């Protein structure tokens, strides 16, 4: 059974919240600034095709970012609500046993403490048995030659 950390210490939860807030804020800024500049140039009759046509596309992109940020914020709230439905791990409360004279009757008598015997500091040194020397190597005698030539 794995235990999950509380939601307050969950890095993905806080990451989702921060990215959602940033996306919503960036989209809102982009949308309001572009719509404000488009309104100004259209009412002054100084609008160029770039202001009108590109401004509309940028405003739509800002609206999409704002919507994505809002969806992320709603997801964060849903995760926080679902986290409250998780069952808490059962915590068993153990109360200390009260000391009574009757309880002491069943305890064994304490054994006396005996100090340990001192340990020898060094172990006796055991010498290794001498190694026997290797027997000398005897070379084979050369083969005798026959009438047909050298022996094979």
């Amino acid at each position: 059974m794995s235990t999950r950390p509380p939601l307050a210490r969950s890095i993905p939860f806080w990451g989702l919240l921060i990215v959602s807030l940033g996306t919503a804020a960036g989209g809102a800024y982009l949308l309001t600034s572009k719509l404000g500049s488009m309104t100004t140039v259209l009412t002054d009759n100084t609008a160029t095709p770039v202001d009108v046509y590109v401004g509309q596309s940028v405003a739509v992109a800002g609206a999409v970012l704002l919507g994505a940020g809002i969806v992320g914020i709603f997801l964060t709230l849903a995760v926080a609500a679902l986290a409250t439905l998780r069952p808490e791990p059962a915590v068993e409360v153990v109360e200390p046993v009260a000391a009574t004279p009757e309880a002491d009757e069943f305890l064994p008598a304490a054994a006396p403490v005996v100090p340990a015997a001192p340990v020898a500091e060094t172990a006796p040194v055991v010498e290794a048995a001498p190694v026997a020397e290797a027997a000398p190597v005897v070379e084979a005698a050369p083969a005798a030659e026959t009438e047909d030539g050298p022996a094979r």
Side-chain angles (χ1 to χ4, degrees):
M1 178 173 125
S2 66
T3 59
R4 289 183 240 157
L7 197 57
R9 293 189 333 219
S10 176
I11 293 174
F13 173 77
W14 290 109
L16 175 63
L17 180 64
I18 290 170
V19 168
S20 298
L21 288 174
T23 303
Y29 172 75
L30 195 60
L31 180 64
T32 56
S33 68
K34 190 47 74 175
L35 286 180
S37 68
M38 280 180 53
T39 302
T40 304
V41 295
L42 286 172
T43 55
D44 291 344
N45 289 329
T46 58
T48 62
V50 173
D51 290 332
V52 176
Y53 296 115
V54 174
Q56 289 176 3
S57 300
V58 172
V60 168
V64 168
L65 288 175
L66 177 62
I70 290 172
V71 168
I73 292 170
F74 285 148
L75 282 174
T76 305
L77 292 174
V79 167
L82 289 175
T84 61
L85 298 177
R86 277 194 305 197
E88 293 291 325
V91 177
E92 185 176 330
V93 177
V94 179
E95 296 181 15
V97 178
T100 60
E102 294 85 23
D104 292 339
E105 294 175 3
F106 300 108
L107 296 176
V113 177
V114 179
V119 179
E121 293 184 15
T122 59
V125 177
V126 178
E127 295 183 23
V131 178
E133 294 183 21
V137 178
V138 179
E139 295 183 15
E145 291 189 17
T146 60
E147 294 176 12
D148 294 338
R152 297 186 190 190

